Amino acid sequence: MAIVSIKTQQVTFYDADGWILRAPVSTGVKGRETPAGVFAVIEKDLDHHSTLYDDASMPHMQRLTWNGIALHGGPLPGYAPRPPKWPTRRRNPPR
């Protein structure tokens, strides 16, 4: 399961034992806001290119709706580019 916090711009991934990964995200912009709700992945594409955003590369796309809502990789505004790697994994979040 993944929970995206629009307020903190973070995604947290969980398994049966609790949270396992937290990473920064960039959610929708004005006019294309990220919707609240519970979604299931309905399609995956390792090398997806957007039909809504000028053929933009959206690697590791996981589609949540048929009208443009998806999780995908890519550069994050405000973060320096870095080599691909998983963010630090933590089993026990600070309280």
Side-chain angles (χ1 to χ4, degrees):
M1 176 174 64
I3 296 178
V4 175
S5 171
I6 295 170
K7 181 178 180 180
T8 64
Q9 295 290 286
Q10 290 190 344
V11 61
T12 305
F13 293 93
Y14 297 84
D15 67 9
D17 296 323
W19 80 277
I20 57 170
L21 180 78
R22 185 169 288 146
V25 297
S26 178
T27 57
V29 296
K30 187 171 181 157
R32 294 187 182 207
E33 291 85 358
T34 298
V38 176
F39 303 92
V41 175
I42 56 177
E43 180 187 17
K44 294 180 182 181
D45 186 350
L46 186 63
D47 187 30
H48 183 74
H49 288 263
S50 175
T51 58
L52 298 175
Y53 294 98
D54 297 323
D55 202 38
S57 176
M58 296 182 172
H60 306 282
M61 184 274 296
Q62 297 175 65
R63 185 181 307 281
L64 304 178
T65 72
W66 291 114
N67 63 343
I69 306 302
L71 297 171
H72 59 83
L76 288 173
Y79 287 84
R82 63 183 178 143
K85 68 176 185 176
W86 285 101
T88 304
R89 293 174 183 253
R90 296 177 60 187
R91 279 277 176 195
N92 299 311
R95 295 183 187 253

